[in-house]
Each structure stands twice: as C-alpha cells, then as structure tokens.
Amino acid sequence: KAGVTQTPRYLIKTRGQQVTLSCSPISGHRSVSWYQQTPGQGLQFLFEYFSETQRNKGNFPGRFSGRQFSNSRSEMNVSTLELGDSALYLCASSLTGINTEAFFGQGTRLTVV
Amino acid sequence: GENVEQHPSTLSVQEGDSAVIKCTYSDSASNYFPWYKQELGKGPQLIIDIRSNVGEKKDQRIAVTLNKTAKHFSLHITETQPEDSAVYFCAATSPRTDKLIFGTGTRLQVFP
C-alpha cells in the first residue's frame, strides 16, 4: 500500500512569490491535513480537508490556502511569500478525520530567500 | 486553546535502558493521543496511539499510559536500541477542536 506522497521535496522561492505544494493521500483516505513544522514553533496545524471541503482551519493568515480534489489529492498554496514561511510543510492523510490514525508524508522543505 | 506540554526536550540513554517521555494536555475533552517518531529528513511516523477509554496499550517494546484524571500520558520504550534515536512527538485531539495538537518534541539519543 503506497504511503502519503508529497511533491516537490524541496523548493526555493523568493520573497513575494507564491508556491503550490501537492499531497497525494493513502488510497481510500478522504481526510488530508496540512502542518507547518519549524524549529521555533514546532508542528502547527494549518487546515484539514475532507471530501473536497475545508473542515477545519488553524491560526494562519489568509495567504495560506488549500483545496482538495475529488480523488482526495490536496494542494496548499502560499501567496506573497515571506522569509518566515520557510519551513517543512507536512501533510497527513487519514480515513475520516483527525480523530483517526493519521499518516504523514515526508514533507516539502520550503526555503524563502 | 488546547495545549500539550512535553518533557524532557532531550533524553540520552544507554542501549538496553528504558526511556520515558511525558506529556500533559489541557483540554479535558481530549480523547485521542497518538505518538510519532520523526527521523532526520523524514515525516513523523505513527508508532502507537491510545484512546481515552483505555489506560494502557503495549506494542512490543513500546507502551503508552494514560491518566485522564491528571491529564497525563507517557511513552515508555524498553530495551532501547540505537535505531530508536529520533525526535518523538506526543499529540492530543479533542472533539471540541478537532485538531491534532502536538507537543514540542523530545530528542532521544541511544548510545551503544
């Protein structure tokens, strides 16, 4: 059974640009959650999508957005990048939601210069 | 909001010894407590979890205990091996928030 796949693995962007990250969940999983991991703030919840609808959202500015497609694949977008957005972005898939086992991908390492 | 505190931040043990990592949560409605292991360059890996209707769960060398009254839960690793070296995160989720809130992590080093 294939795991959670995130692409790309690494990205370098310039301040002010925008970026789109992709996550393919485990087959059959309908919930995809996104997290930002930094040394200073740890793992912070961005948002969760279930059946193409955003079901929950963390405390991040509106520059962070996402969507989910009918095949459960999800993308997150960050617009007007800031230096502080440099982080490891992780997605996790689960069958039905956060109260069930969540499996993480390897993450996308975003560096903003 | 919900908060999860994790201690210690670093832990060094000799191979074969036991390691214990402790977490405290703030939301009494929390009902699901997973533990993750993260190795360098990889995403967190679910290693064990426990639900609020259970006090203890074991899986080979790993066990988790939950004290709902004190709002504490702990990870116990016995007979540690060098490959157990990693960062371990506890987490908690509550029906009130439906978010997985993570502790700050424990860097475990197992010396041969």
Side-chain angles (χ1 to χ4, degrees):
Chain A
K1 192 173 184 180
V4 180
T5 303
Q6 289 189 247
T7 56
R9 289 292 311 278
Y10 303 94
L11 265 178
I12 300 177
K13 289 285 186 178
T14 305
R15 271 183 303 174
Q17 286 187 313
Q18 74 164 19
V19 67
T20 299
L21 313 181
S22 178
C23 172
S24 292
I26 292 170
S27 177
H29 284 193
R30 294 167 64 191
S31 168
V32 174
S33 298
W34 288 89
Y35 294 83
Q36 182 194 66
Q37 186 175 30
T38 59
Q41 300 296 319
L43 277 151
Q44 292 193 292
F45 174 78
L46 280 154
F47 29 65
E48 186 221 357
Y49 285 86
F50 181 82
S51 293
E52 302 178 66
T53 301
Q54 187 182 88
R55 195 161 63 172
N56 210 343
K57 191 176 188 311
N59 298 322
F60 278 82
R63 300 186 296 108
F64 292 81
S65 62
R67 57 178 176 168
Q68 187 179 34
F69 302 95
S70 58
N71 62 357
S72 293
R73 189 178 72 85
S74 177
E75 288 181 347
M76 70 163 276
N77 184 278
V78 188
S79 62
T80 321
L81 284 166
E82 301 176 359
L83 295 179
D85 297 334
S86 295
L88 181 67
Y89 289 89
L90 293 157
C91 86
S93 88
S94 65
L95 268 173
T96 57
I98 286 176
N99 246 10
T100 56
E101 293 175 326
F103 299 91
F104 282 84
Q106 294 210 37
T108 294
R109 171 76 60 187
L110 172 65
T111 302
V112 182
V113 298
Chain B
E2 183 169 6
N3 186 48
V4 176
E5 293 187 0
Q6 183 172 348
H7 299 281
S9 56
T10 59
L11 180 58
S12 297
V13 299
Q14 204 75 31
E15 182 178 0
D17 287 350
S18 295
V20 180
I21 301 170
K22 299 182 179 181
C23 289
T24 305
Y25 58 97
S26 60
D27 186 346
S28 57
S30 295
N31 58 0
Y32 177 62
F33 308 90
W35 285 87
Y36 287 87
K37 174 185 180 182
Q38 188 173 25
E39 296 173 283
L40 201 60
K42 297 186 178 180
Q45 175 195 1
L46 179 66
I47 56 172
I48 196 167
D49 57 11
I50 193 167
R51 297 190 184 276
S52 57
N53 58 346
V54 175
E56 183 176 2
K57 184 176 178 181
K58 283 184 182 178
D59 183 3
Q60 299 181 337
R61 296 185 297 109
I62 293 173
V64 57
T65 58
L66 172 65
N67 182 330
K68 283 192 295 183
T69 304
K71 293 190 279 188
H72 287 170
F73 58 114
S74 300
L75 178 72
H76 304 253
I77 306 174
T78 58
E79 299 171 28
T80 53
Q81 301 166 3
E83 49 266 39
D84 293 331
S85 297
V87 179
Y88 291 81
F89 292 94
C90 63
T93 187
S94 160
R96 271 203 275 253
T97 62
D98 231 11
K99 297 176 188 177
L100 201 54
I101 306 297
F102 283 86
T104 48
T106 296
R107 183 172 298 279
L108 174 64
Q109 290 183 297
V110 181
F111 293 97

